[in-house]
């Protein structure tokens, strides 16, 4: 199921390359829904979390000052905050619970519930069950983060391309700015549930 990173960036991940939710750094790419049940939400969470095929591509050359973000740094960025995507978003509850809501039509609307974790290799992962009218799918999506030359870089999955997540001197279009304090998807979840997913228990 594509959703995210669809994750502007996220069209729910699973909201970059046709995954569950993809996130589009440049303009919060619209959620793309897979035509096959097997990858229902990969288009969504990939979408926003398709994450992000940002405008600023980062060099793959290893620099002396490069290092992965620590678990503590990742928690400071994501815990208690919502990653806003073009058609919804994902909330990283301090308890470790993860919730997401994306889509604006019967075939693109999905609700997700699961868990999120931060790892020592700079990875921020969320594993959730995505529910929609077209079906349901369990997805795990990971974003990696590192510091290089004063910038924080991010990529979706181990094989993804690095892009600037936050510039050393913050810019208005930094993907980082789409991660906002508090749960901002409660209304979206209620709207999707009442319009498209009535009767579905999560």
């Amino acid at each position: 199921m594509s959703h995210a990173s669809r994750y502007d960036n996220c069209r729910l991940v699973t909201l970059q390359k046709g995954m569950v939710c993809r996130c589009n750094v440049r303009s919060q790419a619209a959620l793309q829904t897979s035509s096959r049940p097997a990858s229902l939400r990969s288009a969504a969470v990939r979408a926003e979390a398709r994450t992000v095929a940002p405008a600023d591509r980062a060099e793959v050359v290893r620099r002396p000052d490069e290092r992965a973000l620590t678990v503590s740094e990742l928690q400071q960025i994501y815990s208690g905050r919502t990653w806003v995507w073009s058609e919804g978003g994902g909330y990283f509850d301090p308890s470790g619970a993860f919730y997401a809501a994306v889509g604006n039509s019967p075939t693109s609307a999905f609700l997700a519930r699961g868990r999120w974790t931060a790892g020592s290799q700079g990875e921020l992962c969320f594993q959730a069950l995505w529910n929609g009218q077209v079906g349901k799918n369990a997805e795990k999506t990971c974003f990696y983060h590192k510091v290089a030359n004063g910038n924080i870089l991010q990529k979706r999955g181990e094989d993804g391309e690095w892009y600037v997540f936050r510039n050393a001197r913050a810019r208005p279009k930094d993907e980082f700015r789409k991660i906002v304090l508090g749960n901002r998807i409660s209304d979206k979840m209620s709207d999707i549930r009442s319009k498209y997913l009535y009767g579905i228990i999560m």
Side-chain angles (χ1 to χ4, degrees):
M1 310 173 70
S2 291
H3 304 276
S5 273
R6 26 129 111 285
Y7 308 30
D8 265 337
N9 281 350
C10 297
R11 269 195 173 196
L12 251 102
V13 175
T14 340
L15 308 149
Q16 189 86 43
K17 292 180 179 181
M19 302 180 133
V20 174
C21 251
R22 295 184 178 180
C23 295
N24 214 337
V25 168
R26 189 178 294 179
S27 63
Q28 295 186 343
L31 184 71
Q32 296 183 352
T33 303
S34 171
S35 61
R36 294 176 298 177
S39 58
L40 286 177
R41 241 22 253 176
S42 287
V45 177
R46 292 176 181 177
E48 299 247 296
R50 255 173 205 142
T51 292
V52 189
D56 296 327
R57 297 284 186 182
E59 295 182 10
V60 181
V61 180
R62 181 80 179 178
R63 300 172 184 274
D65 65 338
E66 279 188 11
R67 68 170 179 81
L69 261 61
T70 65
V71 171
S72 177
E73 289 171 330
L74 289 170
Q75 291 174 336
Q76 288 180 38
I77 292 174
Y78 292 96
S79 184
R81 296 173 182 270
T82 297
W83 191 348
V84 179
W85 302 326
S86 61
E87 293 189 2
Y91 175 60
F92 302 85
D93 192 272
S95 68
F98 172 78
Y99 305 95
V102 296
N104 294 310
S105 71
T107 56
S108 69
F110 281 84
L111 293 179
R113 175 177 292 181
R115 306 287 299 175
W116 71 275
T117 58
S120 60
Q121 300 304 309
E123 73 273 22
L124 180 287
C125 300
F126 51 90
Q127 184 164 4
L129 178 65
W130 297 84
N131 281 280
Q133 280 192 19
V134 292
K136 62 177 61 177
N137 193 36
E139 301 276 352
K140 182 177 182 179
T141 302
C142 293
F143 287 88
Y144 290 78
H145 306 71
K146 69 178 180 180
V147 176
N149 198 32
N151 302 313
I152 295 180
L153 307 183
Q154 183 188 69
K155 69 176 181 177
R156 187 179 189 287
E158 294 183 350
D159 299 325
E161 295 184 64
W162 291 106
Y163 49 85
V164 177
F165 177 66
R166 186 178 70 181
N167 283 278
R169 291 187 176 182
R171 298 178 183 178
K173 292 186 178 181
D174 283 352
E175 185 65 18
F176 173 80
R177 290 184 176 275
K178 297 172 186 174
I179 299 176
V180 296
L181 185 63
N183 183 344
R184 304 299 182 87
I185 63 169
S186 295
D187 290 343
K188 180 72 173 181
M189 292 186 76
S190 297
D191 185 57
I192 289 178
R193 184 176 288 109
S194 63
K195 287 183 178 179
Y196 312 117
L197 304 182
Y198 37 81
I200 294 180
I201 300 175
M202 292 187 65

